[in-house]
Amino acid sequence: MASFAALRPAERRDAAELAILVDIGSHGFASWLWLAEMAGSSADTPLERGRMKMSRDGAWGNWESAVIAEAYGEVAGTAVGYQLGEEIRALATDRPALEPVIALQKQAAGNWFIGTLAVYRHLRGIGIGMRLLGDQIEKAGDRAVSLITASDNEAALALYEKNGFSQAARAEAVALFEDSRKHEWVLLTRLAG
């Protein structure tokens, strides 16, 4: 365990750092989503739109749902987790790329859901991700824990499977661009207890 890494609840002032880490954790999928939301927004860039979203109160996956890992005097990573309520079942989207992700989330209704677990590249491989994951499992209490990752993210799959997660479902990802890598979204779940 990375005892040198301290975890703390995120604060609203962490919103910009959270937006960067959410984008890193999603391999750019988040900034693609934020770009589509910029019409009519006061944001100048997708990351600024992400910062605005992360700083809102009372929304799924915002600053209130995040924990920050700090190591060596800097922010090292984050985990964003929350109870995925039954209201997810009624959620619809007009963006085809989101449809498989939402469909997988619907299968995890009622579970603790880790929307993001990300560590800056220069601080990976020293236990910070494991520490963040352990914190999320602890926060889940007696609920199952679920998350979604890409099928070609071998490091993430290994971390989660090593920690008791198993593949619950898969859905083919919709390509964002003509030359996008082909992969599937994988729903992983760790049963309660």
Side-chain angles (χ1 to χ4, degrees):
M1 218 29 101
S3 61
F4 60 89
L7 301 186
R8 66 168 174 83
E11 299 174 11
R12 183 189 316 277
R13 65 186 172 93
D14 295 314
E17 195 91 52
L18 290 168
I20 293 167
L21 284 161
V22 166
D23 197 45
I24 288 169
S26 71
H27 299 275
F29 189 63
S31 59
W32 179 85
L33 292 171
W34 298 331
L35 177 64
E37 295 174 2
M38 284 183 54
S41 162
S42 60
D44 288 326
T45 68
L47 277 176
E48 184 179 8
R49 177 69 181 147
R51 183 198 57 79
M52 291 167 66
K53 289 185 74 129
M54 295 306 296
S55 68
R56 292 185 308 188
D57 292 333
W60 284 351
N62 68 350
W63 69 273
E64 297 165 310
S65 305
V67 63
I68 298 282
E70 295 178 328
Y72 303 114
E74 65 179 300
V75 170
T78 191
V80 181
Y82 46 89
Q83 167 99 24
L84 192 56
E86 291 296 324
E87 60 271 19
I88 188 69
R89 295 187 195 279
L91 188 64
T93 183
D94 59 351
R95 290 181 257 178
L98 267 179
E99 289 175 8
V101 175
I102 300 294
L104 290 173
Q105 285 181 330
K106 289 178 180 183
Q107 295 180 49
N111 294 356
W112 186 260
F113 189 76
I114 303 171
T116 298
L117 195 148
V119 176
Y120 284 115
R121 181 176 301 280
H122 69 284
L123 293 168
R124 291 180 191 157
I126 56 176
I128 296 169
M130 182 82 85
R131 180 98 186 266
L132 287 163
L133 182 59
D135 179 69
Q136 291 298 300
I137 291 168
E138 186 177 310
K139 283 184 167 125
D142 62 354
R143 293 178 293 251
V145 182
S146 293
L147 56 89
I148 297 170
T149 193
S151 60
D152 59 354
N153 190 343
E154 294 174 14
L157 288 169
L159 172 67
Y160 301 134
E161 290 174 355
K162 178 179 174 182
N163 284 279
F165 286 80
S166 58
Q167 295 188 29
R170 285 178 171 246
E172 187 173 337
V174 174
L176 302 181
F177 307 104
E178 208 172 285
D179 61 346
S180 292
R181 72 185 196 288
K182 293 189 184 290
H183 69 280
E184 293 177 300
W185 294 117
V186 182
L187 173 67
L188 295 149
T189 297
R190 183 183 192 272
L191 299 179

